[in-house]
Amino acid sequence: MDRAFIKTPLGVAKLKGNADGLSSITVLNTDETVTDIVPESLEDAVYQLNEYFQGKRQQFDLTLNPEGTDFQQRVWQALEEIPFGKTVSYLQLSKNLGDPKAIRAVAAANGKNPLWIVVPCHRVIGSDGSLTGYAGGLHRKKWLLAHESPAKQQSLF
């Protein structure tokens, strides 16, 4: 499995993958040395993530190869359908998957998403609009949603 560490506005991200696709992207809470030479299998992912953070990309076009149960895979595929700049509630996501009673299972699968940003679990919020639960930390979820917001906050100074 190839690995690369890249700098992002939210910390160092660790990418793992190979010729079969990208298997994980995680943001680290520790400093890690940024990769000087990115493995060929991860070059496109690094390029697209950099474009995302520069505000030049709203969708990813990558071969994904995350490990998870069939149910988790279904949830992660549903997450990919949430448009850039939009959010859905955990309840709505459960309904979209055909079982509104599965809200806790959907939330658990969402929390196990191994592909930070590319599979946009940060776009799922509480039914009341609250920023509930995010494995990367609520400060990162808030930043990502603001980054994707169509109405950017203007500074008065």
Side-chain angles (χ1 to χ4, degrees), residues 40-59:
E40 185 177 340
S41 65
L42 299 175
E43 285 177 347
D44 203 25
V46 168
Y47 180 79
Q48 290 186 36
L49 280 167
N50 284 330
E51 282 187 328
Y52 170 84
F53 284 114
Q54 293 167 7
K56 299 177 182 176
R57 176 172 292 274
Q58 296 183 359
Q59 280 187 289

Side-chain angles (χ1 to χ4, degrees), residues 5 7 11-13 28-34:
F5 295 89
K7 186 172 176 59
V12 174
L28 306 175
N29 289 319
T30 60
D31 287 333
E32 194 69 42
T33 303
V34 174

Side-chain angles (χ1 to χ4, degrees), residues 6 8 16-18 22 27 30-31 41-42 50-51 59 65-66 72 82 90 95 98 102 108 142:
I6 64 169
T8 77
K16 289 175 28 180
N18 56 27
L22 189 61
V27 63
T30 60
D31 287 333
S41 65
L42 299 175
N50 284 330
E51 282 187 328
Q59 280 187 289
N65 191 22
Q72 288 171 331
I82 305 169
Y90 288 97
K95 288 178 180 177
K142 183 177 179 180

Side-chain angles (χ1 to χ4, degrees), residues 79-146:
L79 292 172
E80 290 183 79
E81 296 172 15
I82 305 169
F84 183 91
K86 302 289 183 188
T87 58
V88 300
S89 69
Y90 288 97
L91 177 60
Q92 185 59 52
L93 186 58
S94 298
K95 288 178 180 177
N96 293 353
L97 288 162
D99 188 357
K101 294 180 182 175
I103 189 168
R104 289 179 191 251
V106 167
N110 191 55
K112 297 219 183 274
N113 170 25
L115 289 162
W116 183 59
I117 298 176
V118 173
V119 175
C121 56
H122 61 277
R123 296 179 188 155
V124 184
I125 60 174
S127 294
D128 62 358
S130 62
L131 300 184
T132 59
Y134 189 62
L138 289 179
H139 68 287
R140 289 186 178 113
K141 183 172 189 167
K142 183 177 179 180
W143 189 97
L144 291 167
L145 292 175

